[in-house]
Amino acid sequence: MDTHVAGHTLGMTRLVPASPEEVFAAWTQPDRIKAWFGGRSMTCPEASVDLRPGGLHRTVVRDADGTDYANPMLIEAVDAPGRLVLRIEEGSACPLPGAVGTLLFLPDPLGTRFEVRWDHPTEAMRRQHEEMGFERLWGETIDKLGAHAATGPAGCPFAAPPTPDHGWLHRLLGEWRFETECVMPGGDVQKASGVERVRSLGAYWVVGESEGSMPGGGQAKWIVTMGFDVAAQRFRGTFVGSMMPHMFVYDGALEADGRTLTLDTEGPAMDRPGMARFQDIVTMLGDDERTLISRVQGPDGSWTQIMSSRFQRIG
């Protein structure tokens, strides 16, 4: 939901589509930790947990080059399934000695409101943690946590393990208010607004249901579905709305920045007979704010922006 910085503190809050009991277990059971812990390109070959105050929560993460990084953390407090407090011991090989991480697993209608807060002994250490990639690494780690914790019952012959890309889609969960500007066929700019509510459909899909005003007047409702095709390594989805009979079918990919999802689709051309190529580009500015830009490709191959929306989380 949001990444926040204050004084000696760094924090992040996200919605995970699983119960607090499931998310807490994923953090405290060694076999489960090894299944997801670490950034997108990392694995976790070792994990052990002595779940008591004074016990040790120890992981080893391995990067894409095969380098291992040990993360021994002293458990300062346990309040299952709601809270876990960890401290990086002074004198350990970790570069943030004395930093304290507080993990909260709070009930939410969509599953768990997971909050992580790191308190550092000095502001300089907080800046160091930022420069080490706090926002990206923790964002990717929670993507993997969400995909793991939300895994449904086994047995379906078409099932495959959820991936970090499924977890990335969970960043969209929650209730959002949006403001939109559209460029009409005549060139006029019209404004619209509304509310979107995004929920998960198991570990694999998210469904966004929106209602609001239309450019030029009137009200409409629309539904977006989005998932990730493991075999094709592509995001897939659909858009249908009460304002038109056409279904837009999405095919897209996450950009290298880890924040931007570019979705290609096809629909009726706005200024001529026949069909045209469209793109919807979703960019996470933070876990509480995102943008959507829509553009259309002309006969000469050039792209023209036709809509921009800004979403702010309200729940």
Side-chain angles (χ1 to χ4, degrees):
M1 292 163 67
D2 82 308
T3 303
H4 41 274
V5 179
H8 296 186
T9 301
L10 287 172
M12 182 175 290
T13 304
R14 290 269 293 278
L15 291 172
V16 176
S19 69
E21 290 78 8
E22 277 293 305
V23 183
F24 186 87
W27 263 98
T28 55
Q29 296 178 8
D31 285 346
R32 297 191 65 174
I33 294 170
K34 288 189 285 187
W36 65 270
F37 190 75
R40 177 177 281 258
S41 62
M42 294 177 171
T43 59
C44 181
E46 298 179 33
S48 60
V49 180
D50 181 7
L51 192 59
R52 61 179 178 83
L56 195 65
H57 186 292
R58 181 180 183 275
T59 57
V60 175
V61 294
R62 180 172 296 162
D63 67 17
D65 296 325
T67 303
D68 288 348
Y69 302 89
N71 301 286
M73 293 183 284
L74 188 70
I75 298 174
E76 292 204 331
V78 180
D79 183 15
R83 185 172 71 112
L84 182 65
V85 182
L86 308 169
R87 178 168 60 84
I88 299 175
E89 291 190 274
E90 291 81 353
S92 75
C94 293
L96 303 169
V100 176
T102 300
L103 312 179
L104 299 179
F105 309 83
L106 307 175
D108 186 273
L110 294 176
T112 298
R113 180 187 174 99
F114 175 69
E115 298 185 5
V116 56
R117 184 183 74 244
W118 279 98
D119 295 299
H120 306 82
T122 65
E123 186 173 346
M125 186 183 289
R126 187 266 296 165
R127 289 196 301 269
Q128 179 186 357
H129 200 172
E130 281 187 284
E131 292 166 2
M132 289 167 59
F134 170 85
E135 182 177 357
R136 179 156 190 160
L137 282 173
W138 270 95
E140 292 177 352
T141 297
I142 300 173
D143 290 346
K144 292 170 69 176
L145 168 65
H148 170 80
T151 300
C156 175
F158 307 108
T163 70
D165 294 289
H166 293 107
W168 190 91
L169 289 171
H170 298 158
R171 300 184 185 204
L172 303 174
L173 296 178
E175 188 170 2
W176 305 77
R177 179 177 292 114
F178 59 86
E179 302 287 338
T180 298
E181 288 190 352
C182 292
V183 180
M184 307 305 287
D188 292 337
V189 176
Q190 299 281 351
K191 295 187 177 183
S193 61
V195 173
E196 180 185 44
R197 298 172 181 89
V198 185
R199 56 186 172 85
S200 66
L201 194 61
Y204 302 109
W205 299 92
V206 297
V207 180
E209 300 181 63
S210 301
E211 55 185 316
S213 59
M214 289 292 295
Q219 296 289 309
K221 297 181 179 181
W222 54 99
I223 297 174
V224 174
T225 66
M226 192 60 56
F228 183 74
D229 186 327
V230 177
Q233 291 292 293
R234 301 285 292 177
F235 287 85
R236 311 288 199 196
T238 61
F239 172 100
V240 293
S242 63
M243 74 292 287
M244 67 180 73
H246 180 79
M247 173 189 284
F248 290 86
V249 178
Y250 288 124
D251 174 271
L254 191 62
E255 305 296 336
D257 63 5
R259 291 174 169 268
T260 304
L261 178 61
T262 300
L263 300 165
D264 293 297
T265 188
E266 190 176 73
M270 302 172 63
D271 57 354
R272 65 184 188 278
M275 305 292 281
R277 288 186 62 202
F278 292 83
Q279 280 187 338
D280 281 355
I281 303 170
V282 180
T283 301
M284 301 298 300
L285 302 180
D287 283 334
D288 267 354
E289 191 175 12
R290 59 186 164 98
T291 59
L292 169 65
I293 291 174
S294 295
R295 61 183 192 169
V296 62
Q297 189 175 45
D300 62 354
S302 64
W303 290 93
T304 300
Q305 182 174 314
I306 55 175
M307 186 191 78
S308 64
S309 299
R310 197 172 193 94
F311 292 73
Q312 191 73 39
R313 187 184 298 278
I314 57 175

